[in-house]
Amino acid sequence: MARIPSLNSLWRSWVRSESPRRSLIRWSGADKACLMGVCFAVALLSSWHLLQVPDFTPGMPAPRNEVAPKDAEVPFRETKQQKGAERLQDTIFVQVIDKNQSTILKESLKKKLDKIELLANNSDPDRIAPVNISGIEEKWLLKSSKSRRKEWKKEVELAANRMLKQGLVNTIGFEELREAASLQLEQLGKKESPSRSLGSKLLARTFHRNSNLRQDRSLQGLLEDTINKQTPPIKVKKGDYITRKGELINSQDYFVLNHFNLVPKSPRFIPFIGTFGEALASCGVLLLIMRREKPRLQARHGLLALGLMLTAQISKVWFGTALSPLAVLVPPTLLLSQGLGATSAIAWLAVGSLLWQIPANGVDESRLMVACAVSAVVAFQGGRMRSRAQLLQMAFLLPFGALLGEWFFLRGGEIPNSSDELVYEALVLGGLLMLAILLIPILETTFGLITKARLMELADQERPLLRRLSSEAPGTFEHTLMICGLAEEGARRIGADVDLIRTGSLYHDVGKLHAPEWFIENQTDEVNPHDQLNDPYASANILQAHVDEGLKLARRHGLPGPIADFIPEHQGTLKMGYFLHQARKKDSTVTESRFRYQGPIPSCRETAILMLADGCEAALRSLDPKTTNEEASLTVRKIVESRQLDGQLKESSLTRAEVEIVIQAFVNVWRRMRHRRIPYPIPSTKQSFTA
C-alpha cells in the first residue's frame, strides 16, 4: 500500500526543489506562535466588517418609520463609496461647446445653401433639393432676386450661429428642432412665409441627430468639489420623520440614521468564516513563498512581512474608504523589496491586494489596479537600487508616475475624479516613501535585514575597520583583496549575490587584527612565532581565535548578520592540517576534532564560494605564469574536491554544475592577474642624466 506523504514532507520537498541541499532554519515554538498570532490578527481585521453588516443601505426601501429622537445638526460629508453609488444612479455631466463639431455643421449648412442657390438659378442639372420644398417655397425661390436670396442666406447663417452657441443635443426630434429654428428666423417675416419655413427646414435637417457638445471632466470634477465643499449640515428636529416605511433611503437619510445609531446591524457568519479563512490561508502562503525563496529566512523576517500586512489592515479599518491603495501598498513593497528581495515583495503585494475590499459599485477598482502596477514596479526595481540616492530619486519620481496613471485610468473610465484629490494622493505617497526610506536603517538593525545600499556603504574601504586592517595587517588586507576578486567573479558567473560576497570578503579575516604577526602573510622576517611557541595546541587556539575575535569585532562595529556569517563560515570545520601533523609527531593518539575550526560550515552559496576562494588563493598565487589553464584547473579542482569530501559544502546548496563554473571563474581570474608582460629596458642613472 502506497504511503500518503504528510504535509510537512510535501512542504520540505517543495522548498528543497528551490535549494536542493540547503537546510531550513528551524523556527522555535515561540516564533511559530508569534507568527500564527499575527496571521490570526490579520485575518480577523480583514473579515471584521462582516460581523457588523447594516441590515439596509442607501437605495433600499425603509423597513419601518424612523423618528429623530432629539434636535441635531448632522455634518454631512459623503464617503467615496456613497458618492460613487449615487454617481452610478444620477451622474452629473458638464458639457461645453465643441468648436470642431460646430465648424463641421456650419460647412454642412453652407453646402445646402449653395445647393438651394443653384436650384434658384436653374443651373443644377440634378434638380435634387437638400430638403422637401413646397410649391410656395419653390415659387418664392424662382421669383426672388439674387440680393434678396443673399440677405435670406445671411439670416439663416446667423440663426445657425445662435443655435450652435446655445448648444445642440442629438436627442431632439425633427419637428421640435424645426420649431426652434423658426423662432430664430423671426426677422424673415411671419411664420407661414416661404422664406422662413424654408430656412427652418434647412436648419432642422442640418442639425437633426447631431450635437456640438462634449463632456468636460475637469470642469465636472471642479463642480463636484464645489458642491461637496458647500454641503450644509443636515438640521433635524425632535420628532421629525427621518424615513417612512417603504420609501427609498437616500444617502442623507442613511447618514442621519447612522448618526442616531438607528441602523441595525447583524453578523454574516458564513461570509465571515470564508473571508477569515481566505485571509489566514493567504498569510500562510505568503510565509511559504518567502521560505521557498529564502530557506534561511529567519522568523523575524516573516514577522516583518506580516507586521506590515497587519499595519495595512489597521489603516484600512481606521481610515475606511478615504484611504488610497497607493498609500497602503507601495511603501511596504519598497521596504520588503529592499530587505528581502523582489519575490517576497511581489508575494506580499499579491496578498495585500487580495485582502483589499473593493466596494460593490467598483469605484475603487481602477485605483487598486494603478496601485498594484506602481507597487509591482517598486518590487522589481527597489531591490536593485544600490544607493540611498537612487531610492530618493524613486521616491521623488514615483508619485508623478502614479498621478499620471490615476489621471489616465480615472479620466478614461466612467467615474470622473477631482484633480486636486489626485495631487493630494501623490503628495501623500511621496511623503510615505520618504518615511519608508528613513525607516530602512532602523529595520535593518531591528530585523537583521541587509540592503544593496547598506552593502555598498559597508564595502567602502575607507571605513574605520577596513582602514585599520590595511594599516595593521597589510598582508591580510592584500590577501583579502585577492580573495575578493576570485569570489566576486565566481558569484557573478553562477548568479549569486555579488554585492554580498564582495562585502563579506572584505570583512572575513578582520579577526586577525588581534594578533596579525601570528599569520604568515603579515610576517616580514624569517622568524615564525609558531616555531618559537612550539605548541601545536596553542597555535590551533590562535587560529580559532581569529574567528572568535572577528565575530566580536563584527558585533562591536555593528556589522549585519549576513556579513558576520562570512567570518566563521569561510573556515567551516576545516582541519588545521599543519598543527595536527605537528601534534601527532608528539602524540599519535591526538583526535582530529581538536584541530578543527568550530564552524559552522557554509550555509549559503556566497560563504561557500568564499571558502573555496580562500583555499585556492595561495595555490594559484604560487603557480608559474607558464602554467596552462588545464593545470591550473586541476590544482583548483583538487582543493575544491577536498572541501566537498570533507562535507564543507553540503549545506550551501551549490550544485555540481555551479562548482564547475566557479572553478573556471577562479582560473580566469588567475590568468588575468598572471598574464605575461613585455620586459621594458631600464636606463642607467648615467644615461638618464646625460639625456
Side-chain angles (χ1 to χ4, degrees):
M1 182 177 179
R3 180 183 176 185
I4 300 177
S6 64
L7 291 176
N8 187 46
S9 62
L10 287 175
W11 150 243
R12 290 189 172 276
S13 64
W14 183 60
V15 169
R16 289 194 176 97
S17 68
E18 178 72 17
S19 298
R21 295 178 296 167
R22 193 172 182 181
S23 62
L24 291 170
I25 291 182
R26 292 185 177 274
W27 293 345
S28 65
D31 291 335
K32 293 179 181 178
C34 183
L35 291 171
M36 184 61 68
V38 179
C39 289
F40 271 96
V42 171
L44 184 61
L45 286 172
S46 300
S47 53
W48 179 260
H49 65 283
L50 295 172
L51 294 177
Q52 293 181 327
V53 180
D55 292 343
F56 53 81
T57 57
M60 296 177 60
R64 57 184 176 273
N65 294 336
E66 291 290 355
V67 179
K70 60 181 180 179
D71 295 344
E73 287 190 2
V74 183
F76 177 64
R77 185 169 181 82
E78 296 174 297
T79 63
K80 292 181 181 179
Q81 185 172 351
Q82 291 169 342
K83 291 178 184 178
E86 291 192 357
R87 281 171 181 164
L88 294 177
Q89 298 172 2
D90 187 18
T91 305
I92 300 174
F93 292 102
V94 177
Q95 294 181 321
V96 296
I97 302 297
D98 189 339
K99 294 182 179 180
N100 293 332
Q101 188 62 27
S102 298
T103 302
I104 293 174
L105 292 175
K106 288 179 182 179
E107 291 293 332
S108 177
L109 176 63
K110 185 176 183 302
K111 290 179 181 179
K112 290 182 175 62
L113 291 172
D114 292 342
K115 191 76 171 178
I116 292 293
E117 183 65 23
L118 292 176
L119 289 173
N121 295 329
N122 291 319
S123 58
D124 186 3
D126 297 330
R127 303 289 298 175
I128 299 176
V131 293
N132 293 327
I133 300 178
S134 64
I136 297 176
E137 293 168 347
E138 184 177 3
K139 184 177 179 181
W140 174 81
L141 275 177
L142 296 175
K143 288 185 176 181
S144 60
S145 63
K146 188 174 182 179
S147 59
R148 173 63 178 158
R149 290 195 304 271
K150 186 176 180 180
E151 292 178 359
W152 171 79
K153 180 180 178 181
K154 183 178 180 181
E155 287 295 333
V156 172
E157 289 177 342
L158 290 174
N161 288 335
R162 288 192 294 269
M163 294 179 70
L164 290 173
K165 288 180 180 179
Q166 293 173 357
L168 296 175
V169 182
N170 55 11
T171 57
I172 300 178
F174 180 81
E175 292 300 327
E176 289 81 0
L177 194 59
R178 181 180 175 185
E179 185 69 23
S182 179
L183 292 175
Q184 297 289 339
L185 295 172
E186 290 181 348
Q187 300 295 331
L188 296 178
K190 296 181 179 180
K191 186 176 182 180
E192 297 81 8
S193 65
S195 60
R196 183 172 175 179
S197 63
L198 180 58
S200 63
K201 285 181 182 179
L202 283 172
L203 291 174
R205 180 60 60 193
T206 304
F207 297 156
H208 185 232
R209 294 180 180 176
N210 289 308
S211 174
N212 69 331
L213 299 176
R214 62 177 176 84
Q215 189 174 352
D216 191 323
R217 296 185 182 275
S218 60
L219 289 177
Q220 182 174 341
L222 292 174
L223 178 61
E224 290 174 348
D225 284 348
T226 303
I227 294 174
N228 292 335
K229 291 175 183 177
Q230 296 177 354
T231 302
I234 304 172
K235 296 182 179 180
V236 182
K237 294 184 178 181
K238 182 179 180 179
D240 288 350
Y241 278 98
I242 304 174
T243 59
R244 296 181 181 273
K245 184 177 180 179
E247 294 182 354
L248 295 181
I249 303 173
N250 59 36
S251 59
Q252 293 188 1
D253 295 338
Y254 186 83
F255 201 86
V256 175
L257 289 172
N258 198 40
H259 176 77
F260 290 119
N261 294 322
L262 296 176
V263 180
K265 299 178 181 180
S266 57
R268 303 289 190 268
F269 288 110
I270 294 179
F272 170 79
I273 293 173
T275 305
F276 183 88
E278 179 186 53
L280 189 62
S282 299
C283 292
V285 170
L286 173 61
L287 290 176
L288 294 182
I289 293 175
M290 292 174 65
R291 291 204 77 182
R292 187 175 191 267
E293 172 68 14
K294 293 181 177 295
R296 307 294 294 177
L297 187 79
Q298 299 178 21
R300 54 180 176 171
H301 297 160
L303 183 62
L304 172 62
L306 292 178
L308 291 173
M309 187 66 67
L310 181 62
T311 303
Q313 298 304 314
I314 293 174
S315 301
K316 288 189 289 185
V317 171
W318 184 269
F319 294 102
T321 56
L323 187 65
S324 169
L326 285 169
V328 176
L329 298 178
V330 177
T333 304
L334 175 62
L335 292 174
L336 292 177
S337 65
Q338 275 282 294
L340 298 176
T343 302
S344 298
I346 286 292
W348 188 95
L349 172 62
V351 174
S353 57
L354 177 65
L355 300 183
W356 192 277
Q357 299 297 326
I358 300 177
N361 52 42
V363 173
D364 288 335
E365 186 175 5
S366 297
R367 290 189 176 187
L368 182 59
M369 292 174 59
V370 173
C372 289
V374 174
S375 300
V377 172
V378 170
F380 286 113
Q381 296 297 325
R384 301 178 182 179
M385 298 295 177
R386 298 165 61 86
S387 67
R388 311 288 185 193
Q390 291 178 329
L391 290 175
L392 290 175
Q393 289 176 359
M394 173 181 282
F396 180 76
L397 296 176
L398 199 64
F400 289 99
L403 174 63
L404 292 177
E406 281 201 333
W407 179 83
F408 176 78
F409 281 103
L410 297 178
R411 190 175 188 270
E414 294 294 331
I415 307 300
N417 200 65
S418 168
S419 58
D420 292 341
E421 188 176 356
L422 295 182
V423 172
Y424 173 75
E425 289 184 5
L427 293 176
V428 170
L429 175 60
L432 290 175
L433 287 175
M434 291 292 185
L435 178 62
I437 293 173
L438 292 176
L439 288 176
I440 286 177
I442 300 175
L443 296 179
E444 288 174 348
T445 304
T446 306
F447 292 94
L449 300 177
I450 186 165
T451 62
K452 296 286 187 184
R454 179 63 173 156
L455 289 174
M456 297 299 293
E457 292 171 357
L458 291 172
D460 183 4
Q461 295 182 19
E462 293 299 319
R463 294 186 70 86
L465 188 56
L466 295 180
R467 289 299 303 156
R468 183 183 168 194
L469 182 65
S470 65
S471 61
E472 297 181 19
T476 299
F477 188 70
E478 292 301 321
H479 158 79
T480 295
L481 296 180
M482 176 67 178
I483 288 178
C484 185
L486 292 171
E488 187 177 340
E489 183 66 18
R492 185 177 290 109
R493 290 291 187 90
I494 66 172
D497 194 333
V498 177
D499 295 317
L500 176 62
I501 201 168
R502 179 192 300 116
T503 308
S505 300
L506 291 173
Y507 289 93
H508 80 284
D509 265 347
V510 292
K512 292 181 179 180
L513 284 171
H514 83 289
E517 70 278 359
W518 288 86
F519 298 91
I520 191 169
E521 66 267 20
N522 297 314
Q523 296 168 6
T524 57
D525 50 27
E526 299 297 330
V527 179
N528 191 328
H530 291 283
D531 295 337
Q532 296 178 343
L533 182 62
N534 195 25
D535 184 353
Y537 292 96
S539 295
N541 291 337
I542 293 173
L543 293 187
Q544 176 61 42
H546 99 274
V547 173
D548 301 334
E549 294 296 325
L551 291 174
K552 292 178 182 178
L553 283 172
R555 286 191 294 270
R556 191 180 307 158
H557 288 266
L559 294 183
I563 300 300
D565 289 342
F566 280 84
I567 296 173
E569 291 184 13
H570 88 278
Q571 294 290 358
T573 56
L574 289 172
K575 288 186 296 185
M576 304 174 191
Y578 176 79
F579 296 114
L580 174 61
H581 178 71
Q582 293 296 111
R584 283 181 173 174
K585 283 183 179 181
K586 299 179 180 181
D587 183 2
S588 60
T589 62
V590 173
T591 59
E592 184 179 286
S593 60
R594 176 63 181 79
F595 288 87
R596 278 186 176 272
Y597 286 97
Q598 296 177 8
I601 61 176
S603 60
C604 63
R605 295 190 299 175
E606 288 77 15
T607 54
I609 293 173
L610 182 63
M611 170 184 276
L612 299 180
D614 191 34
C616 296
E617 184 265 340
L620 288 173
R621 188 190 292 269
S622 63
L623 291 178
D624 189 271
K626 296 181 180 180
T627 304
T628 63
N629 288 352
E630 291 75 15
E631 293 172 341
S633 297
L634 182 61
T635 301
V636 174
R637 186 171 283 105
K638 288 180 180 179
I639 298 172
V640 172
E641 288 177 353
S642 68
R643 301 291 192 269
Q644 290 177 314
L645 293 175
D646 199 23
Q648 301 297 318
L649 305 181
K650 62 182 180 181
E651 300 291 344
S652 67
S653 79
L654 274 178
T655 64
R656 292 181 181 272
E658 289 174 339
V659 169
E660 187 62 32
I661 293 173
V662 169
I663 291 174
Q664 297 303 319
F666 287 175
V667 174
N668 290 338
V669 174
W670 165 80
R671 177 58 64 187
R672 291 200 301 264
M673 291 189 301
R674 299 298 298 271
H675 62 80
R676 295 173 56 198
R677 290 188 176 273
I678 300 174
Y680 288 93
I682 301 176
S684 64
T685 306
K686 182 177 180 180
Q687 289 176 338
S688 61
F689 278 116
T690 303

